[in-house]
Amino acid sequence: MSDATLVVPPLDTGFQPAAAFNAAYRATIAASGRASTLLLAVERSNGGVTRFEAPIRDDAAPETLRYAERLAKFLLWAWGGHTLHVAAPAAVCDHLRSTYADGGARAFDASMMTAIYGQPFTVRAAAKKKIPAQKDVTDAVGGSLKGCRIGFDLGASDYKVAAVKDGEVLYSDEF
């Protein structure tokens, strides 16, 4: 990676913005002439599946492994899920499996997904054709007016506050 992609803030000299790293990495794909495909799919317990596909180098260089790991982490926290399906070169699959295992660098993330979805978080390597298809699922939330609710809206020039009990507005104001 080029030093030109680094932004050196005084409090974290090792910091590199994801956008800069990703742009530099994608530039190396074209230069290497050794492109492969990374397909990630995050599966949720409601049947939903989110897929993401990106070109990667077909090597096991630290940059390739970092790129795949960062994309996987982003998808997990953006969409959530109990299973991460991976179609990629074997070294990338192995890296993601060990990274999200107990004692791995992302064990916390795996633990959180396990707690949220009530089943062990797993990373499954598979051929591209065996990765689950994209499936958008919506869940109805809320709808009940029973109990107490507090709401607020922090606008640019004002803010609003409301308190409701069993559907009856007890307090409402705008400042």
Side-chain angles (χ1 to χ4, degrees), residues 3-84:
D3 288 340
T5 63
L6 294 176
V7 173
V8 185
L11 298 177
D12 186 357
T13 56
F15 174 77
Q16 182 181 25
F21 174 83
N22 291 349
Y25 179 77
R26 285 189 300 263
T28 70
I29 293 170
S32 74
R34 296 179 7 216
S36 188
T37 300
L38 170 66
L39 173 58
L40 300 171
V42 179
E43 182 179 352
R44 294 174 291 287
S45 52
N46 66 358
V49 175
T50 299
R51 289 171 54 121
F52 184 83
E53 191 169 331
I56 58 171
R57 295 192 322 235
D58 67 351
D59 60 19
E63 295 87 5
T64 298
L65 301 179
R66 179 179 179 199
Y67 185 70
E69 183 274 322
R70 298 282 70 199
L71 288 176
K73 182 176 175 93
F74 174 78
L75 287 175
L76 281 175
W77 287 100
W79 292 97
H82 55 74
T83 305
L84 174 65

Side-chain angles (χ1 to χ4, degrees), residues 75-102:
L75 287 175
L76 281 175
W77 287 100
W79 292 97
H82 55 74
T83 305
L84 174 65
H85 298 273
V86 183
V92 173
C93 295
D94 292 344
H95 175 71
L96 290 174
R97 191 178 290 113
S98 66
T99 298
Y100 285 93
D102 287 343

Side-chain angles (χ1 to χ4, degrees), residues 104-116:
R106 298 290 165 246
F108 171 82
D109 305 67
S111 173
M112 287 300 295
M113 294 300 148
T114 295
I116 291 166

Side-chain angles (χ1 to χ4, degrees), residues 116-129:
I116 291 166
Y117 289 93
Q119 64 186 68
F121 176 78
T122 57
V123 176
R124 292 193 179 139
K128 189 175 181 179
K129 63 185 176 189

